[in-house]
Amino acid sequence: MAPASRLFGGIEAGGTKFICAVGEAPQTIHASTSIPTTTPSATLAQVIAFFQPYPLCSLGLAAFGPIDLARESPTYGHILSTPKLAWQGCQIVDILQTQLGVPVAVDTDVNAAALAEFMYGAGQGCDPLVYLTIGTGIGGGAVIRGRPLHGLMHPEMGHMLLARAPGDTRPSGCPFHEDCLEGLASGHAIGVRFGAPETLPPQHEAWTLEATYLGQALATIATILSPQRIVMGGGVMHQPHLLPRIREACARTLHGYLPRLKTASDFEAYIVAPALGDTAGVIGALYLAHEIGCL
Amino acid sequence: MAPASRLFGGIEAGGTKFICAVGEAPQTIHASTSIPTTTPSATLAQVIAFFQPYPLCSLGLAAFGPIDLARESPTYGHILSTPKLAWQGCQIVDILQTQLGVPVAVDTDVNAAALAEFMYGAGQGCDPLVYLTIGTGIGGGAVIRGRPLHGLMHPEMGHMLLARAPGDTRPSGCPFHEDCLEGLASGHAIGVRFGAPETLPPQHEAWTLEATYLGQALATIATILSPQRIVMGGGVMHQPHLLPRIREACARTLHGYLPRLKTASDFEAYIVAPALGDTAGVIGALYLAHEIGCL
């Protein structure tokens, strides 16, 4: 018989579903499943049941935040204060490590997606790289000098402040901030402010505002972090008319100030769709596992 | 006689003056001078005359931006489009290298200041570290994984978008942007909008707005870059009442969202004055020279 394969597990833990995958390498996925995000006990029981049959070397977890990534912290690997109240304080890394008996590497979903796009996707050779996901919520991650960005915690780009467009007095979708990116431009916010995004035609004013706010956010990211490229993922970005309008709005906000971002083709190369589609998170998770290797 | 010392040169090239220093180590300065910033030919002639008597190993240049820091670029080390029109296109690195016959390392003034505060000052052990200077203009630099942040170019934090405070209809001080940090909160902007900063008493509304805008900017930097600490330098920060008010405004903007920034003492540790005072830029420049060493 052939020797057992070196197998790695990856989880993208999102607010709606947990995507779990098993593979020999980050881009070689043998089996995968999607498990609804309900309570920690129910969801994690199914996650563990999925992985248990496989002789894993290690597991990578790409989780929604905020999550404690500081190894020296007593709450390392715990979910911190989150609107998903059932998950607040969940010791997700400890649980997976104990139940599956393998080392677990953890990062945010968007840092993992940034890493995957940097290694295999639309961000190859672009360092720093920023990955922004516009879904139910908004999150941003970054790779700098080849590694995901950690600091005081991890980026929380969804909660950067924006300038409201004149006349936009609709409520924010964020319970914390009247004028943050997530509160004005997430899928949830569009729903609260205008109606379900998938029902709104391209000419709806919601999309004009969406492009304006995302363009503002990208301009601010460009001035602060100076990424070489920004990858825009998430369900809201499935609207095909949106990406060109975001590039235009970003150019309007920057107003020619940055010497490397002047022409339409500069912006086409700068603000791009993911190459890994919606799989960047779980590929990033497998990459984190692969880095641990087989002990 | 003792052998000749290993001497390094450092220049902080600012919009008002060039500070030049010679030292054996970044913090051991033997001689220094300040030369007014006029035209490239006049200013650089005096700079070169200052350094010429010293047997330098190398020179570090901490320059106002935008400046091209991409080594592979045909305009490497040139000043790019800047409101200081006489300096636009100035091949400052080439000129210094040729005239002084030593290798020159270059970075932005604020990246160099961030490096100096990270190595010797208020940012020791804090990675990433952000250094923001609030002077005539506003600039921001960062150290990440021990090195100054470069990407598409370098950070241009002065031009991040802010949300205008309700009722603030005064003009922007930035020719590019109606609502950017530099346009609303630089020393020049305060002057245009309210009068010379040093003449305004602490209770003047200009300072309330100043704290609001700087607090907004720091909140946005915290969400995007997640620095472990932010150092606030520059002439405007000499107002002793300002730092506590900025911390409060930053806390109001974040509104308790970031788990590591909740209490007043969290913000006191997070947003700090420079330890190197106004010498961070030139010490950073000497550090850049010291890294080249003696060839």
Side-chain angles (χ1 to χ4, degrees):
Chain A
M1 276 178 70
S5 298
R6 291 159 47 102
L7 279 179
F8 302 96
I11 303 172
E12 182 184 0
T16 308
K17 57 184 187 291
F18 276 49
I19 301 171
C20 304
V22 170
E24 283 182 14
Q27 292 193 282
T28 316
I29 293 176
H30 288 311
S32 69
T33 190
S34 174
I35 293 162
T37 306
T38 57
T39 62
S41 57
T43 302
L44 294 181
Q46 291 180 71
V47 166
I48 289 157
F50 168 77
F51 284 114
Q52 228 140 23
Y54 300 101
L56 298 182
C57 291
S58 54
L59 183 72
L61 171 65
F64 60 78
I67 184 164
D68 190 346
L69 300 177
R71 287 191 170 276
E72 67 283 9
S73 163
T75 55
Y76 171 72
H78 299 194
I79 307 275
L80 301 172
S81 59
T82 163
K84 305 180 230 321
L85 293 177
W87 291 83
Q88 204 160 298
C90 175
Q91 304 182 18
I92 186 166
V93 169
D94 298 339
I95 293 169
L96 292 168
Q97 215 151 249
T98 307
Q99 297 284 310
L100 292 169
V102 294
V104 175
V106 61
D107 214 312
T108 62
D109 45 4
V110 277
N111 264 349
L115 194 55
E117 290 286 346
F118 175 74
M119 294 302 300
Y120 308 115
Q124 292 176 63
C126 298
D127 192 331
L129 179 74
V130 165
Y131 180 96
L132 212 63
T133 182
I134 320 297
T136 309
I138 294 182
V143 169
I144 302 188
R145 295 203 181 88
R147 301 300 312 156
L149 175 57
H150 298 171
L152 183 71
M153 357 186 320
H154 46 71
E156 279 285 351
M157 299 193 198
H159 296 272
M160 75 173 80
L161 183 77
L162 296 184
R164 278 199 178 232
D168 177 8
T169 56
R170 291 172 193 257
S172 166
C174 172
F176 286 87
H177 308 117
E178 268 310 296
D179 302 318
C180 74
L181 174 57
E182 181 164 296
L184 296 176
S186 66
H188 171 72
I190 297 172
V192 168
R193 290 158 50 84
F194 295 99
E198 58 279 13
T199 67
L200 304 171
Q203 67 276 16
H204 196 286
E205 69 160 312
W207 295 119
T208 308
L209 282 176
E210 184 71 7
T212 299
Y213 290 138
L214 289 171
Q216 279 188 7
L218 300 192
T220 292
I221 290 169
T223 57
I224 292 176
L225 211 144
S226 202
Q228 301 244 23
R229 184 167 286 167
I230 301 173
V231 179
M232 302 288 289
V236 172
M237 292 305 300
H238 292 175
Q239 298 278 336
H241 59 91
L242 199 49
L243 197 55
R245 294 165 78 178
I246 293 168
R247 292 183 184 125
E248 287 165 23
C250 181
R252 277 198 304 278
T253 305
L254 288 172
H255 205 241
Y257 184 74
L258 296 181
R260 294 278 178 269
L261 290 177
K262 295 278 196 189
T263 68
S265 70
D266 290 342
F267 283 94
E268 275 165 38
Y270 196 59
I271 302 170
V272 305
L276 306 175
D278 295 332
T279 64
V282 75
I283 291 176
L286 283 164
Y287 186 86
L288 293 173
H290 202 253
E291 283 189 316
I292 298 179
C294 282
L295 303 179
Chain B
M1 275 179 73
S5 298
R6 290 160 48 102
L7 280 179
F8 304 95
I11 303 171
E12 181 183 1
T16 309
K17 58 185 185 292
F18 276 49
I19 301 170
C20 304
V22 170
E24 283 181 15
Q27 291 193 284
T28 316
I29 293 176
H30 288 310
S32 68
T33 190
S34 174
I35 293 162
T37 307
T38 57
T39 62
S41 56
T43 302
L44 294 181
Q46 290 181 72
V47 167
I48 289 157
F50 169 76
F51 284 114
Q52 230 141 20
Y54 301 101
L56 298 182
C57 292
S58 54
L59 182 72
L61 171 66
F64 59 78
I67 185 165
D68 190 346
L69 301 177
R71 287 192 169 275
E72 67 281 11
S73 162
T75 55
Y76 170 72
H78 299 193
I79 306 275
L80 301 172
S81 58
T82 163
K84 304 179 234 319
L85 293 177
W87 290 84
Q88 204 161 297
C90 175
Q91 304 182 19
I92 186 166
V93 170
D94 298 339
I95 292 169
L96 292 168
Q97 215 151 247
T98 308
Q99 296 285 312
L100 292 168
V102 293
V104 175
V106 61
D107 213 314
T108 63
D109 46 3
V110 278
N111 263 348
L115 193 56
E117 290 286 346
F118 175 74
M119 293 303 299
Y120 308 114
Q124 292 175 64
C126 298
D127 193 330
L129 179 74
V130 165
Y131 180 95
L132 212 62
T133 182
I134 321 297
T136 309
I138 294 182
V143 169
I144 302 189
R145 297 205 178 86
R147 302 300 311 156
L149 175 57
H150 298 169
L152 182 71
M153 0 186 316
H154 46 73
E156 277 287 352
M157 298 192 198
H159 296 273
M160 75 173 79
L161 183 76
L162 296 184
R164 279 201 178 231
D168 176 9
T169 56
R170 289 173 194 256
S172 165
C174 172
F176 287 87
H177 308 116
E178 268 310 296
D179 302 317
C180 74
L181 174 57
E182 181 165 295
L184 296 176
S186 66
H188 171 71
I190 297 171
V192 168
R193 289 157 52 81
F194 296 99
E198 57 280 11
T199 68
L200 304 171
Q203 66 277 16
H204 196 285
E205 69 161 312
W207 296 120
T208 308
L209 282 176
E210 184 70 7
T212 300
Y213 291 138
L214 290 171
Q216 279 187 8
L218 300 192
T220 291
I221 290 169
T223 57
I224 292 177
L225 212 144
S226 202
Q228 301 244 23
R229 184 167 287 167
I230 300 173
V231 179
M232 303 288 289
V236 173
M237 292 305 301
H238 293 174
Q239 299 278 334
H241 60 91
L242 199 49
L243 197 56
R245 295 165 77 177
I246 293 169
R247 293 182 183 125
E248 288 165 23
C250 182
R252 277 198 304 278
T253 305
L254 288 172
H255 205 240
Y257 184 74
L258 296 182
R260 295 278 176 267
L261 290 178
K262 295 277 197 189
T263 68
S265 70
D266 290 343
F267 283 94
E268 276 165 36
Y270 196 60
I271 301 169
V272 305
L276 306 176
D278 295 333
T279 64
V282 76
I283 292 176
L286 283 165
Y287 187 86
L288 293 173
H290 202 254
E291 283 188 316
I292 298 179
C294 282
L295 303 179

